[in-house]
Amino acid sequence: MRLATLRDGSKDGRLVVVSPDGLRFAPAPVNALQAALEQWVEVEPVLLALKVFPEQLELHSLASPLPRAWQWLDGSAFQSHGDLMCQVLGIDPIETTTPLMYQGVSDKFYGPHDDVKFPDEALGIDFEGEFGVIVDAVPMGTTAKDAMQHIKLVVQINDWSLRALAGPEMKTGFGWVQAKPPCAMAPFAVTPDEFGASWRNGRVCLDLAVEWNGAPFGRANGEPMGHGFHELVAHAARTRDLVAGTVVGSGTVSNENFREVGSSCIAERRGIEVIDLGEAKTNFMAFGDKVRMEALDADGRAVFGVIDQQVVRG
């Protein structure tokens, strides 16, 4: 099942169920995705029973599936990305067996085709392609094994970053605020069963195809996460309940053979250039630049739909 949110003038939009071909929809029995997540046991069977999709879906009019959330927790679960960044920055790798995670801004998720406003190109504007999950209510102390049953939806995310601000903020020891503006989500939130064999061990085992200004940039696969989403959810719930609608991200999708498959963010490509060439050659984004992201299954279908955004002056 794939869900989407139509813009209707409200802050949370109108929840709809999308047809298998992604072209039509049926209205959901509750207004918003947040409401559905808060009563998922009752609502899910009704959503699944919808088999007739009478309305034409206008993809460019869609909001994020979850336009705002109670909580957004982003991990850094791809070891190849973390190791590369540490090597470039000349710092020791973080020695830990637990997931890395920070809490980001959640009161707004850009829609998949929204322009993204920034005040200055000099801030180091960067896209970050990643996957995420949305959970129902998760009790404090939930184990990784039990966390699997709380993962109700899987999403695709563009985690916008301002690289010139990230380093200084990290050095304060308090984490990111200015360096991490709102993220964007692809059009469709997808139930795990929709992936078949491509959902394994709490991981989205699909290629994430990224294009920058129409040119291929990366096609990393989501399987090599050091911690699966169930483990990330359990980590987040160690000392607190997670409310229904909490979004948990994987961090930048990255593979060890990044020189062959490319990258999901500019910072990683620049890091490779520093190692291989002695300096970064690729600039960060400029106003007017566009980024496109889609996760493709074996049939070439964009499972989550497409993120296609432009950077503009704010």
Side-chain angles (χ1 to χ4, degrees), residues 73-79 81-83 86 92-103 130 170 176 225-227 231-233 235-236 248-252:
L73 302 170
D74 197 16
S76 181
F78 290 89
Q79 190 68 40
H81 178 76
D83 289 347
C86 287
D92 294 330
I94 299 173
E95 298 293 340
T96 179
T97 58
T98 60
L100 301 176
M101 185 175 287
Y102 73 93
Q103 184 163 320
E130 56 183 273
M170 287 177 68
W176 289 309
M225 289 175 67
H227 299 276
E231 294 167 305
L232 296 182
V233 171
H235 173 77
V248 179
S250 66
T252 305

Side-chain angles (χ1 to χ4, degrees), residues 16 45 64-65 71 88 156 292 294:
V16 299
S64 162
Q71 189 164 219
V88 171
Q156 178 192 314
R292 176 185 174 94
E294 55 186 340

Side-chain angles (χ1 to χ4, degrees), residues 155-178:
V155 292
Q156 178 192 314
I157 294 169
N158 183 6
D159 177 27
W160 289 100
S161 297
L162 299 174
R163 300 298 187 182
L165 302 176
E169 284 195 311
M170 287 177 68
K171 292 176 182 178
T172 67
F174 276 83
W176 289 309
V177 176
Q178 294 179 344

Side-chain angles (χ1 to χ4, degrees), residues 38-49:
E38 290 173 355
Q39 47 188 324
W40 190 257
V41 173
E42 295 80 16
V43 172
E44 183 187 26
V46 184
L47 297 174
L48 289 170

